Amino acid sequence: MFTYLDPNVRRKLIAQGKLRRINLQGRALDPNVAPAEGEPAVNLLGPIPLPIRLHRVHTQVQWYASVRSTELTKVEELAGALRTQGGGNLFSLLASSMAVNSVLAVGEQSEWKNPLVRVHSSCLTGDVFGSERCECGPQLAGALERITNEPGGGLLVYMAGHEGRGIGLWAKAATYLLQDAGEDTYQANRSLGLPDDSRDFTDAAALLHHFVGNKPMRLLTNNPKKVQDLANMGLTHITPVKHVLGVGERNRRYLDAKRLWGHQLDEDDLA
Ligand SMILES: [Zn+2]
């Protein structure tokens, strides 16, 4: 049992190929067999057709939801225990705390030769509220637009647990208050005793291995560390493509800090 879906629904989805399990190298595993102890695996649900209208983007993508098998199993176990102890109301709390990453696939995967790809870290304030303290919102919409405009399409991987470069939304809110007291975005993390950047790209790498395979790919990013992290996980055929969007007065200091930290941003990009 690796999902809290109804077992009959689960069986049907597996038979239809819409519920899959892959290993970190992106290879398919048997979804009916529990992964060996210590063998990390990712469950994938989809494709789910998703019509999208976001800024200037109007398209249809195939959405896949992805979650670690271990995380899902843990939630299932805890949920079962809670149910028997009458704590069923806590189930939603457990389920909503799972980091469910997303894949948005544009175009025909079998035709990809060197697809355009974006691995986007979740940012509630930027992506959803349109905050101008960072440039995440324009980068997300801009990435979808660029991928949609590619003749063969491409892929967007949305990393759910990457809020505040991995420190979570609560701590990120605290860093904003520290930033307003004069610290830069990295100093603020350190003041909280947290790393500058604790994002883990392991699942993103597994998804890229699975969806793109050994083909070369172009990655929309200004962050050399992201390219290096993915290369360390076997994705050595990545060409970074600059993705500078959403630069404005309100995030100039934030982007300056990113540039000093190592992001590939020139003075001209931020002018
Ligand atoms: Zn952001």
Side-chain angles (χ1 to χ4, degrees):
M1 184 71 160
F2 72 95
T3 168
Y4 56 82
L5 299 179
D6 177 275
N8 291 321
V9 175
R10 186 176 146 266
R11 265 194 296 276
K12 204 185 272 178
L13 291 172
I14 290 172
Q16 292 169 346
K18 288 179 178 163
L19 181 51
R20 286 177 274 165
R21 182 184 285 143
I22 60 171
N23 66 12
L24 295 188
Q25 288 71 46
R27 281 190 292 276
L29 302 172
D30 185 347
N32 291 304
V33 179
E37 183 83 20
E39 189 197 354
V42 173
N43 298 322
L44 263 180
L45 201 52
I48 302 156
L50 205 66
I52 281 185
R53 193 186 283 273
L54 183 71
H55 299 270
R56 288 182 303 207
V57 185
H58 190 196
T59 189
Q60 169 143 322
V61 304
Q62 299 297 335
W63 173 46
Y64 298 81
S66 125
V67 70
R68 275 292 177 104
S69 297
T70 39
E71 209 168 331
L72 203 46
T73 307
K74 207 31 101 194
V75 166
E76 170 68 25
E77 282 169 14
L78 289 169
L82 283 173
R83 260 188 227 111
T84 55
Q85 291 158 25
N89 57 326
L90 288 174
F91 181 77
S92 62
L93 185 68
L94 277 172
S96 67
S97 69
M98 273 198 312
V100 180
N101 300 315
S102 285
V103 173
L104 302 184
V106 179
E108 188 47 59
Q109 218 176 305
S110 60
E111 288 169 18
W112 291 347
K113 289 191 177 71
N114 183 7
L116 193 60
V117 167
R118 166 82 179 162
V119 176
H120 191 87
S121 295
S122 60
C123 174
L124 181 83
T125 49
D127 298 341
V128 179
F129 302 154
S131 159
E132 293 181 299
R133 290 183 72 126
C134 57
E135 85 284 40
C136 303
Q139 277 193 320
L140 175 64
L144 260 181
E145 187 175 11
R146 291 176 80 172
I147 292 167
T148 304
N149 289 339
E150 283 281 304
L155 200 70
L156 186 133
V157 180
Y158 191 87
M159 300 302 291
H162 279 188
E163 191 67 58
R165 291 192 301 275
I167 62 172
L169 190 57
W170 183 249
K172 175 175 140 180
T175 65
Y176 276 8
L177 293 172
L178 292 173
Q179 286 171 44
D180 289 348
E183 298 190 7
D184 81 27
T185 177
Y186 298 102
Q187 287 166 337
N189 280 31
R190 285 174 224 145
S191 293
L192 293 173
L194 297 168
D196 286 8
D197 191 338
S198 45
R199 287 176 291 178
D200 180 358
F201 289 102
T202 308
D203 286 33
L207 294 166
L208 292 177
H209 277 302
H210 183 69
F211 283 93
V212 185
N214 295 325
K215 294 170 192 166
M217 63 187 102
R218 292 162 296 143
L219 181 72
L220 290 168
T221 185
N222 310 315
N223 183 1
K225 185 181 179 289
K226 195 188 282 184
V227 179
Q228 189 55 54
D229 284 359
L230 293 171
N232 292 346
M233 289 175 279
L235 292 160
T236 50
H237 41 291
I238 288 180
T239 309
V241 175
K242 234 173 170 184
H243 193 51
V244 184
L245 284 166
V247 178
E249 225 168 88
R250 293 189 178 92
N251 57 27
R252 175 68 209 238
R253 236 184 87 225
Y254 165 79
L255 291 170
D256 274 336
K258 271 185 152 182
R259 185 167 66 87
L260 290 171
W261 197 79
H263 280 237
Q264 303 271 287
L265 296 164
D266 305 326
E267 275 291 344
D268 288 353
D269 292 328
L270 305 183

